[in-house]
Amino acid sequence: HLFDASGRVREVTEEQIKLLEGSISARDEDVYESIFNFLRAFHELHSKGTPCALVFTTSATRAKQRITDVSAPGVGLAGRESAQLHIDVLSNWQDLPDGPSATVVESKTRDLANALHGLSAHHLPPEPTLHTNLSVSQLHARAVRSAIRYLDDESLWPEFLRSVRWNLGQKGLSDLHAEIVEKLKIHPRTRDLPAEVLAQRLVMEVLAASGKKDVGSRRLDAKKRSDL
């Protein structure tokens, strides 16, 4: 969370961190489920007037996604039905231009919105005929569909797509830990302390802070870091 001087939330960052091997595309469950979660988060926060940044971070690299064969729509490997994706979702999403090229932005936005419609249609359970005693998966599917309708009705697809950042091919846990330890060894305030122990303590404090219900208590300010 990003706070202003008075302690009020200015922006919320939601990050999905996945330690994955190999390469991934939008056809992988870890990716499309994260997209569904991002849709829900954007809907909830944006409808309340809260800006948000949605981040997917993983050690996996981007795979070349299989594109739906228009001559055999809906059929994937070994004849199994699959989501109809006529573009490489992650490639187009990451390449979404930041500049004023409105024509390219509009075209890519439309294609990506259609692709996410396709993912939700294929992977979410059907809307139940009865609306009582819904399962967790049915409630999740309802929330995702509601978020998609919100983006459609309010023409918010460009804003949603730009709020998501894909950090692929990042360092693994062991590499990150080693990097933290090395920085602690040379920092003027920590170089005389046992770096390995301090690194472990920092991780514990971050996890403890991130799990607190009170948003304002999740900050590790200068005093808290100094107390460590």
Side-chain angles (χ1 to χ4, degrees):
H1 291 68
L2 179 64
F3 299 85
D4 60 20
S6 64
R8 291 177 300 183
V9 177
R10 288 180 52 193
E11 181 181 85
V12 172
T13 297
E14 178 175 313
E15 185 169 15
Q16 302 263 330
I17 301 176
K18 306 283 186 179
L19 185 60
L20 304 171
E21 300 292 334
S23 56
I24 55 173
S25 76
R27 293 193 181 278
D28 290 291
E29 184 176 2
D30 287 298
V31 176
Y32 64 72
E33 279 297 338
S34 291
I35 292 174
F36 295 160
N37 290 334
F38 286 159
L39 284 163
R40 292 185 59 178
F42 182 89
H43 182 199
E44 179 180 355
L45 293 166
H46 189 277
S47 62
K48 296 177 181 177
T50 304
C52 61
L54 308 166
V55 185
F56 182 96
T57 299
T58 182
S59 50
T61 57
R62 189 180 75 198
K64 184 177 181 181
Q65 178 206 295
R66 177 170 46 82
I67 307 298
T68 299
D69 184 354
V70 294
S71 64
V75 178
L77 298 176
R80 295 177 297 178
E81 290 189 358
S82 60
Q84 296 195 40
L85 301 177
H86 300 288
I87 61 169
D88 187 321
V89 175
L90 293 185
S91 176
N92 279 267
W93 206 330
Q94 287 189 295
D95 293 341
L96 197 64
D98 295 324
S101 181
T103 303
V104 176
V105 171
E106 183 178 351
S107 174
K108 282 183 174 289
T109 297
R110 182 175 59 252
D111 290 342
L112 284 165
N114 288 337
L116 299 197
H117 271 280
L119 283 172
S120 65
H122 181 74
H123 292 293
L124 295 178
E127 188 72 29
T129 54
L130 299 177
H131 300 288
T132 57
N133 299 321
L134 299 183
S135 66
V136 173
S137 62
Q138 289 174 322
L139 290 171
H140 172 63
R142 172 177 288 184
V144 174
R145 291 192 178 97
S146 178
I148 290 175
R149 286 194 298 270
Y150 179 70
L151 297 183
D152 287 339
D153 295 344
E154 303 296 330
S155 301
L156 288 170
W157 281 105
E159 189 170 343
F160 166 71
L161 293 170
R162 291 185 184 280
S163 73
V164 178
R165 186 168 74 250
W166 298 95
N167 291 334
L168 307 180
Q170 300 300 302
K171 294 179 180 179
L173 290 178
S174 58
D175 291 333
L176 287 174
H177 178 77
E179 183 177 330
I180 292 172
V181 169
E182 289 305 311
K183 289 184 176 180
L184 291 173
K185 286 180 179 179
I186 62 176
H187 194 282
R189 298 184 62 187
T190 58
R191 61 190 176 194
D192 295 328
L193 300 173
E196 281 284 352
V197 176
L198 184 55
Q200 293 173 13
R201 178 70 185 279
L202 281 169
V203 171
M204 291 174 60
E205 290 295 329
V206 169
L207 292 174
S210 63
K212 293 181 179 179
K213 288 186 177 181
D214 178 23
V215 172
S217 300
R218 296 177 185 173
R219 291 179 292 172
L220 284 178
D221 56 24
K223 183 180 183 307
K224 291 179 180 178
R225 294 194 301 271
S226 179
D227 289 342
L228 288 175

